[in-house]
Amino acid sequence: MYIDRMSTAERLIESTRELLWERGYVGTSPRAIQERAGAGQGSMYHHFAGKPDLALTAIRRTAEELRATAETSLGGDGSAYERISAYLLRERDVLRGCPVGGLTMDPDIIASDELRAPLDETLGWLHGRLATIVEEGRQQGEFSAALTPQETAATIVATVQGGYVLARAAGSPAAFDSAVGGLLALLAPPA
């Protein structure tokens, strides 16, 4: 499952990331992490103070990865609409849900200020990045002056996160695709 050259600490982090996404915080036991990582208890506690420390490291890594992936689309070439479109239409494992958004529904993570912080920071970054692009589009005359950047950015984030929920509930990515298609039609520059 893992590359032989991956360090034990990396295997523990990656295993925790996967398990958090699949099972949530409570369902991610130290034993499950160790088994998936092929690491012993001593190795885990050698590298991390315990499950909360390892979970925080894994959550931070997941958040950083989401930001980097989003920035690939949002920071690319093209108009504001094209960059937002690239972000919305990028390849995703829709039926697995969002690795960050899913963690916001985990009561144990939300109850911990420390574990929740990377999620808040990432969603805040995404909202701000999208608002900046919407404002660029308004300034260029690409989007209606009536669009409020902050509200439009919130709508984009809500569409993506809600699209994941609807797709998972339906067992089909079609619901996600429909939500994204509808939003893009609303944002489309006038012909």
Side-chain angles (χ1 to χ4, degrees), residues 55-72:
L56 179 59
T57 302
I59 292 168
R60 284 182 178 149
R61 171 94 42 95
T62 297
E64 289 166 5
E65 186 176 282
L66 185 138
R67 284 191 300 269
T69 301
E71 185 57 31
T72 299

Side-chain angles (χ1 to χ4, degrees), residues 127 130-131 134-135 138 143-155:
H127 183 269
L130 288 164
V134 170
E135 180 58 27
R138 285 181 58 201
F143 294 138
S144 165
L147 285 183
T148 305
Q150 294 296 325
E151 291 175 357
T152 305
T155 301

Side-chain angles (χ1 to χ4, degrees), residues 21 62 66 97-106 110 119 123 161 164:
W21 196 3
T62 297
L66 185 138
C98 176
V100 169
L103 293 174
T104 66
M105 308 223 307
D106 188 310
I110 294 306
L119 307 176
L123 293 172
Q161 293 304 316
Y164 280 124

Side-chain angles (χ1 to χ4, degrees), residues 8-14 16 33 41-58 61:
T8 301
E10 285 299 311
R11 289 194 322 267
L12 289 164
I13 294 165
E14 290 304 311
T16 303
I33 295 167
Q41 183 176 5
S43 293
M44 182 173 156
Y45 291 101
H46 170 74
H47 294 288
F48 301 96
K51 177 182 167 180
D53 181 39
L54 179 52
L56 179 59
T57 302
R61 171 94 42 95

Side-chain angles (χ1 to χ4, degrees), residues 3-173:
I3 300 171
D4 291 335
R5 290 174 267 157
M6 189 180 282
S7 73
T8 301
E10 285 299 311
R11 289 194 322 267
L12 289 164
I13 294 165
E14 290 304 311
S15 294
T16 303
R17 289 178 65 200
E18 292 170 9
L19 289 165
L20 286 170
W21 196 3
E22 293 168 13
R23 303 179 184 179
Y25 187 80
V26 170
T28 302
S29 69
R31 181 182 198 103
I33 295 167
Q34 293 160 21
E35 286 176 5
R36 186 164 293 193
Q41 183 176 5
S43 293
M44 182 173 156
Y45 291 101
H46 170 74
H47 294 288
F48 301 96
K51 177 182 167 180
D53 181 39
L54 179 52
L56 179 59
T57 302
I59 292 168
R60 284 182 178 149
R61 171 94 42 95
T62 297
E64 289 166 5
E65 186 176 282
L66 185 138
R67 284 191 300 269
T69 301
E71 185 57 31
T72 299
S73 301
L74 298 173
D77 293 330
S79 67
Y81 179 83
E82 290 167 341
R83 289 182 287 149
I84 291 171
S85 179
Y87 167 72
L88 290 169
L89 296 173
R90 75 173 174 77
E91 190 171 327
R92 292 175 164 84
D93 190 352
V94 174
L95 296 180
R96 274 191 89 189
C98 176
V100 169
L103 293 174
T104 66
M105 308 223 307
D106 188 310
D108 294 290
I109 291 175
I110 294 306
S112 167
D113 291 341
E114 189 173 33
L115 294 176
R116 188 181 66 245
L119 307 176
D120 291 342
E121 292 164 9
T122 298
L123 293 172
W125 171 86
L126 181 58
H127 183 269
R129 187 71 175 99
L130 288 164
T132 299
I133 294 170
V134 170
E135 180 58 27
E136 289 173 20
R138 285 181 58 201
Q139 295 294 324
Q140 298 297 322
E142 185 178 354
F143 294 138
S144 165
L147 285 183
T148 305
Q150 294 296 325
E151 291 175 357
T152 305
T155 301
I156 295 167
V157 173
T159 299
V160 170
Q161 293 304 316
Y164 280 124
V165 171
L166 294 173
R168 290 187 77 183
S172 168

